Amino acid sequence: SFWRKIAGLAVRRPDGCETCDCPPGPPGEDPAFSTAVTALGAKLAKADGRAGIGEFDAFNLVFQTDAASERNIQRLYDLA
């Protein structure tokens, strides 16, 4: 099925040539990646209507952020 293929791709180990364009460090340290994940999370939460503070709190449990960035992430989440 489609989801099995996605899950298989997510857990496999990439070859060195597949990651040559990736920035160094964990994905959460890349601002573009963090912005994309925040926007995607907000869009998914709002897919069935307005996302409330409960959805944002759940997002923060999974994607932990530093306290200094939380206000900006909340604003981006609301805009998405």
Side-chain angles (χ1 to χ4, degrees):
S1 79
F2 172 77
W3 293 111
R4 285 191 197 280
K5 288 179 184 175
I6 295 294
L9 290 171
V11 298
R12 73 179 177 89
R13 297 187 85 139
D15 295 330
C17 65
E18 291 179 330
T19 59
C20 59
D21 292 332
C22 292
E29 292 179 359
D30 178 21
F33 179 82
S34 298
T35 301
V37 167
T38 302
L40 178 61
K43 290 291 186 185
L44 289 171
K46 294 178 181 182
D48 61 351
R50 181 163 158 36
I53 193 69
E55 285 88 356
F56 182 73
D57 290 343
F59 177 82
N60 270 341
L61 286 175
V62 176
F63 300 100
Q64 298 168 356
T65 61
D66 59 353
S69 300
E70 189 167 340
R71 183 171 173 239
N72 289 332
I73 292 170
Q74 174 75 48
R75 198 171 76 220
L76 174 62
Y77 194 88
D78 290 339
L79 288 173

